[in-house]
Amino acid sequence: MKRKLLTLLTMLALAYGGYSPVKAEGKNYSDYVNPLMGTLSEHQLSTGNTYPAIARPWGMNFWMPQTGKMGDGWAYVYDNYRLRGFKQTHQPSPWINDYGMFAIMPVKGMKINEEERASWFSHKAEVAKPYYYSVYLAEHDIIAEITPTDRAAYFRFTFPETDEGYIVIDSYDRGSYIKVIPEENKIIGYTTRNSGGVPENFKNYFVIVLEKTPDSWSVWKDGKVCDGKELQDEHVGALIGFKTQRGEKIQARVASSFIGFEQAERNLKELEGKSFDQVKEEGRKVWDKTLGVFDVEMDLDEMRTFYSCLYRSVLFPRRFYEFDASGKPVHYSPYNGKVLPGYMFTDTGFWDTFRCLFPLLNLAYPSMNAQIQEGLLNTYKESGFLPEWASPGHRGCMVGNNSASVVADAIMKDITPKEIQEALYEAMLKTANDCHPQVKSTGRFGYEYYNELGYVPYNVGINESAARTLEYAYDDWCIAQVGKKLGRPASETDLYLKRAHNYKNLFDPSHNLMRGKNKDGQFQSPFNPLKWGDAFTEGNSWHYTWSVFHDVKGLQNLMGSRETFVHMLDSVFAVPPIFDESYYGSVIHEIREMQIMNMGNYAHGNQPVQHMIYLYNYAGEPWKAQYWLRQTMEKMYRPTPDGYCGDEDNGQTSAWYVFSSLGFYPVCPASDQYVIGAPLVRKATVNLENGKKIVITAPDNNSENCYIKKLKMNKKEYDKNYFTYEDLIKGVTLQFDMSDKPNTQRGTKAAAFPYSMSE
């Protein structure tokens, strides 16, 4: 017995002490996901700004437990202890907020409004899986369970013995409708509540079918029961009553549609012929298959972090299409309010996700991104623009024209169906040379100045002008790459290649940094490189100077030498976390998140600088990238409620961890290269859709061994600082020999450096 106990204790010590790699036993990858990672967030400090999305990968509808008040973007916060209901949500970010929402809540006693019905709960009596959620509602003595499909969900409520058991259906305020149909055990309704980005005829239609005949049916308005079976008003809902024995389970099947009630009924068929437990098991299998594209061996907490990040990486963009009676995809257009054929996806901001979320889809889930690209073309057809921030239609948020990157990376890798590549290219050209009349973040705000002067001026009333210029220059490079691939005239591609050099117009040699420039050609003055915002977007000049994804060598040339370039990279970590917040008038959460991480002025909690560490590879000092990447992965990610270092943002910050854990990263989407970092995995197998495998081994990996001593590709020594897409998708074995000391000889010659336009 003592020997068995000792063996058990030893195993636990190894597993939890960070010394022994763990493999996903039985391929239950979803067991390693913590949907609560990042939920301990608030307006002034984000540790993810996430909520537990109970969903299918890329599902049209998510479900979540709701702690916040109706309309609060921070709808689930970990240190709140009362639940108000279970909400169907489409929220991509608390800053964008939600649309198409309604809620269901089981209660004991006639408690309708969200304050009355709210119940204390404990995380110890809460189970959160990607495909299943359960919680004990203490004040009602009820267990609530949810398991979803793409467009429907099963609810199961275990009641106490009571004559006053109820299910509250809340259609939410700002205009809603409810109707109870007792003869069919059914409730139908719609909600119009949204936070923008929808046409005037927007509605989310829902249908709820109860599997036990209720003892009473009521409708309510503004929290008060009304006569009749149907209501349409500002804020309405239904109250369904049951007399129950202790332990009795009341089940409800729920579906919704943006098209109409008939389509909602059609979507309900996703549950047809299946029990609650069958749907739950089906959901587990779907998640395990999706997550199982990546089979990794790491320390236990690293494994939990990896799969939690991967879970976040495959939630958005969400499907916004449904299937008609013939099984063909159709969608309600959030751009013109019509019901049209074909795919539609939404709820993503390309300013965030062009960086590595979409490159992750292209590598690991290309068939999904092929559908997304078809959806992007539909967006262009229906609105005249490619989207930049969609939720569900065009939203006024962030800067840039990074749809060019998202479209280009997929075309360059031949993931986009060939028959729509030309049309998407035309959409890129149109979006690059126009600006949406109502939504200035769609298209290119200031394109007239940019095309004439080669930059967006600082002093013409266009905010964050330097950030726009830098991103437009990279986007022009993306357009040129696609144009060349499609055989467009040289006069056209040369124009965009010329504009791809426009980043140079903002380089200030007196600071070796990017700086806003006035219309007369003079740099803005005074200039504080530590000032957030102003000429930049949610960052300062130290962060945005590196946004020359396509021409790092060109940036080095502007700085004068590789040595100066490396010195400037070093300085980001050496400069204390001081800042100037005067543009915002207060310390925004992105600034605070940089300040508290003790990594100088490196602000990994926001996206503009997330590729920066990899740039050491372009200057012959890759070991510095290896060191700082390991520092970032170990310090800034945890599988816990405070597990992120800033906004997670639609999978981008998560996808960074997924890529970086594997040991490479797409610094320049639309190129064919992934820049090498420092793997965190001991072993990983990426199971590609074409049947090939990327096998990564780093058996000596531990917290000290963060440096690459030697790297072999297919058993041959490999000295470059990048991998190519072609190498990876053919199937490849990558063997990393890790060490606790930097190898200052490997990857130091120019022939080893990744692509730059200036080469």
Side-chain angles (χ1 to χ4, degrees):
M1 180 64 185
K2 288 181 180 178
R3 184 176 298 172
K4 289 181 180 178
L5 181 60
L6 181 61
T7 301
L8 177 61
L9 291 173
T10 302
M11 290 171 65
L12 287 171
L14 288 172
Y16 287 90
Y19 301 107
S20 178
V22 178
K23 186 175 175 62
E25 295 181 9
K27 305 299 183 184
N28 293 334
Y29 302 99
S30 55
D31 286 347
Y32 294 91
V33 174
N34 179 12
L36 303 184
M37 180 175 170
T39 59
L40 187 60
S41 299
E42 54 185 284
H43 187 278
Q44 65 181 350
L45 184 71
S46 173
T47 65
N49 267 337
T50 63
Y51 56 85
I54 314 305
R56 294 285 176 90
W58 304 287
M60 189 178 90
N61 302 322
F62 300 170
W63 288 90
M64 65 176 296
Q66 183 181 353
T67 65
K69 292 182 179 180
M70 182 172 55
D72 185 354
W74 284 263
Y76 179 98
V77 176
Y78 188 81
D79 60 359
N80 290 351
Y81 297 107
R82 300 184 78 217
L83 288 181
R84 299 166 183 269
F86 303 96
K87 181 173 82 161
Q88 187 187 95
T89 178
H90 306 91
Q91 179 172 295
S93 161
W95 308 105
I96 291 291
N97 215 305
D98 210 346
Y99 64 91
M101 55 193 119
F102 64 96
I104 298 174
M105 180 68 171
V107 295
K108 186 173 70 174
M110 192 176 287
K111 300 172 181 177
I112 297 175
N113 73 49
E114 62 177 351
E115 292 292 343
E116 292 174 339
R117 72 192 187 218
S119 173
W120 280 78
F121 77 106
S122 168
H123 296 299
K124 299 177 182 66
E126 178 186 40
V127 177
K129 302 282 186 183
Y131 56 87
Y132 171 76
Y133 181 84
S134 172
V135 70
Y136 176 63
L137 302 172
E139 292 184 61
H140 304 300
D141 192 20
I142 293 171
I143 297 172
E145 301 171 272
I146 313 168
T147 188
T149 62
D150 286 328
R151 299 167 188 84
Y154 233 128
F155 282 78
R156 183 163 66 189
F157 304 125
T158 304
F159 276 84
E161 182 174 354
T162 179
D163 290 340
E164 292 187 299
Y166 292 95
I167 296 175
V168 180
I169 292 99
D170 191 340
S171 299
Y172 279 18
D173 61 353
R174 300 185 186 173
S176 51
Y177 168 79
I178 199 78
K179 180 180 181 180
V180 297
I181 310 173
E183 60 273 18
E184 298 181 38
N185 280 5
K186 184 185 296 184
I187 306 99
I188 64 172
Y190 63 70
T191 175
T192 64
R193 199 181 213 291
N194 66 80
S195 302
V198 298
E200 288 186 5
N201 68 346
F202 164 82
K203 292 181 177 70
N204 186 24
Y205 302 85
F206 60 83
V207 56
I208 301 169
V209 176
L210 299 157
E211 295 189 353
K212 178 187 176 181
T213 300
D215 294 293
S216 66
W217 301 81
S218 302
V219 292
W220 55 264
K221 181 177 78 171
D222 300 329
K224 293 181 171 48
V225 172
C226 302
D227 294 332
K229 303 297 183 192
E230 185 176 13
L231 275 176
Q232 180 181 354
D233 213 300
E234 174 73 3
H235 186 185
V236 301
L239 186 68
I240 313 303
F242 296 91
K243 297 177 181 179
T244 57
Q245 301 298 312
R246 183 162 191 81
E248 185 172 350
K249 292 176 170 54
I250 306 295
Q251 298 191 149
R253 290 176 285 127
V254 184
S256 68
S257 168
F258 295 105
I259 295 172
F261 288 120
E262 182 180 353
Q263 184 63 45
E265 295 273 6
R266 192 171 291 124
N267 294 343
L268 193 63
K269 292 181 179 180
E270 292 183 354
L271 303 173
E272 194 169 55
K274 301 171 186 175
S275 69
F276 182 97
D277 290 328
Q278 285 173 328
V279 174
K280 177 182 173 184
E281 178 62 13
E282 180 186 85
R284 183 189 66 78
K285 288 179 178 178
V286 169
W287 272 106
D288 285 346
K289 181 179 180 181
T290 303
L291 300 173
V293 170
F294 297 88
D295 184 26
V296 303
E297 295 181 27
M298 311 168 77
D299 292 343
L300 182 58
D301 271 355
E302 292 168 352
M303 192 110 138
R304 289 169 172 160
T305 304
F306 182 92
Y307 284 109
S308 296
C309 285
L310 184 56
Y311 149 79
R312 292 280 169 197
S313 300
V314 296
L315 288 173
F316 300 102
R318 78 169 68 254
R319 293 180 174 97
F320 201 74
Y321 64 89
E322 306 169 53
F323 293 101
D324 66 14
S326 64
K328 294 179 180 178
V330 294
H331 64 274
Y332 164 83
S333 172
Y335 302 99
N336 63 24
K338 299 177 182 179
V339 177
L340 297 166
Y343 295 116
M344 179 61 63
F345 290 79
T346 191
D347 291 326
T348 187
F350 291 161
W351 183 83
D352 303 290
T353 55
F354 86 86
R355 303 169 193 272
C356 75
L357 185 279
F358 277 91
L360 182 70
L361 299 184
N362 287 333
L363 180 65
Y365 309 99
S367 61
M368 174 54 63
N369 201 25
Q371 291 184 7
I372 294 170
Q373 297 300 314
E374 293 186 50
L376 291 178
L377 182 57
N378 285 332
T379 296
Y380 173 67
K381 291 176 179 178
E382 293 159 27
S383 74
F385 290 87
L386 290 169
E388 302 298 339
W389 229 119
S391 180
H394 295 304
R395 297 291 291 271
C397 186
M398 310 312 292
V399 304
N401 171 217
N402 298 307
S403 58
S405 175
V406 172
V407 170
D409 196 48
I411 290 178
M412 296 303 292
K413 294 176 171 60
D414 279 323
I415 286 155
T416 303
K418 290 193 182 302
E419 61 270 19
I420 66 169
Q421 290 183 6
E422 286 280 357
L424 275 168
Y425 178 74
E426 294 293 344
M428 293 166 75
L429 294 181
K430 166 64 162 58
T431 303
N433 292 281
D434 202 352
C435 182
H436 194 287
Q438 286 85 41
V439 185
K440 297 304 183 185
S441 60
T442 299
R444 292 190 183 183
F445 191 26
Y447 74 93
E448 306 96 332
Y449 293 107
Y450 176 83
N451 291 351
E452 179 185 351
L453 301 175
Y455 62 94
V456 179
Y458 175 77
N459 62 340
V460 294
I462 298 175
N463 63 323
E464 301 169 5
S465 58
R468 296 178 192 275
T469 299
L470 293 170
E471 293 185 22
Y472 293 169
Y474 162 66
D475 297 329
D476 283 333
W477 176 85
C478 291
I479 293 170
Q481 303 315 299
V482 175
K484 288 191 289 184
K485 178 180 174 66
L486 298 181
R488 302 288 287 208
S491 58
E492 184 176 88
T493 57
D494 287 349
L495 172 64
Y496 288 95
L497 282 175
K498 179 182 177 182
R499 290 177 179 173
H501 289 271
N502 282 344
Y503 71 89
K504 297 175 182 177
N505 295 328
L506 297 189
F507 184 78
D508 176 7
S510 67
H511 290 83
N512 276 327
L513 293 168
M514 297 294 177
R515 182 174 177 179
K517 182 177 282 188
N518 292 331
K519 187 178 178 182
D520 64 4
Q522 299 298 309
F523 282 117
Q524 68 169 106
S525 183
F527 172 57
N528 179 359
L530 297 170
K531 186 175 184 178
W532 281 60
D534 198 25
F536 302 100
T537 302
E538 294 182 0
N540 60 34
S541 182
W542 279 107
H543 305 142
Y544 248 98
T545 291
W546 316 106
S547 294
V548 188
F549 314 96
H550 59 298
D551 198 14
V552 179
K553 173 63 175 173
L555 181 58
Q556 287 179 25
N557 293 342
L558 291 175
M559 292 185 178
S561 68
R562 285 190 214 160
E563 291 75 18
T564 301
F565 180 82
V566 169
H567 173 72
M568 294 299 289
L569 286 171
D570 292 343
S571 297
V572 174
F573 300 104
V575 172
I578 51 179
F579 53 84
D580 175 354
E581 79 283 12
S582 59
Y583 174 77
Y584 298 108
S586 63
V587 178
I588 63 173
H589 74 94
E590 291 92 346
I591 295 176
R592 190 69 72 204
E593 289 142 18
M594 176 197 75
Q595 182 190 39
I596 64 178
M597 289 311 301
N598 192 26
M599 287 183 72
N601 238 257
Y602 180 66
H604 188 80
N606 210 24
Q607 285 68 34
V609 78
Q610 287 181 351
H611 70 292
M612 186 211 87
I613 295 175
Y614 285 92
L615 302 190
Y616 284 109
N617 285 281
Y618 295 73
E621 298 192 23
W623 59 90
K624 289 186 177 179
Q626 294 156 24
Y627 172 80
W628 286 114
L629 287 167
R630 184 62 64 85
Q631 290 289 304
T632 303
M633 283 187 276
E634 291 186 347
K635 285 185 175 181
M636 297 196 182
Y637 291 82
R638 296 280 190 279
T640 55
D642 63 345
Y644 290 101
C645 54
D647 280 356
E648 196 287 314
D649 281 333
N650 310 121
Q652 164 59 28
T653 300
S654 290
W656 185 96
Y657 186 89
V658 171
F659 265 123
S660 296
S661 296
L662 299 175
F664 53 91
Y665 183 85
V667 168
C668 183
S671 77
D672 69 339
Q673 294 182 358
Y674 304 85
V675 180
I676 296 172
L680 190 62
V681 298
R682 307 291 202 285
K683 184 178 180 181
T685 301
V686 185
N687 300 295
L688 300 174
E689 279 189 6
N690 63 5
K692 306 294 185 181
K693 297 180 185 295
I694 303 169
V695 179
I696 301 161
T697 59
D700 297 326
N701 234 341
N702 58 41
S703 57
E704 288 77 32
N705 291 353
C706 66
Y707 298 106
I708 299 173
K709 181 179 179 181
K710 188 184 296 185
L711 171 59
K712 290 183 178 180
M713 177 186 287
N714 296 331
K715 300 183 179 180
K716 294 181 180 179
E717 192 156 343
Y718 189 79
D719 192 52
K720 291 183 172 62
N721 293 343
Y722 62 89
F723 302 126
T724 69
Y725 176 71
E726 289 300 321
D727 286 338
L728 296 182
I729 64 166
K730 288 177 182 176
V732 67
T733 298
L734 306 172
Q735 183 179 338
F736 290 87
D737 185 0
M738 305 300 290
S739 172
D740 62 350
K741 296 180 177 60
N743 180 351
T744 58
Q745 303 304 310
R746 190 197 166 279
T748 59
K749 297 177 182 178
F753 300 170
Y755 167 85
S756 285
M757 180 176 65
S758 289
E759 289 292 342

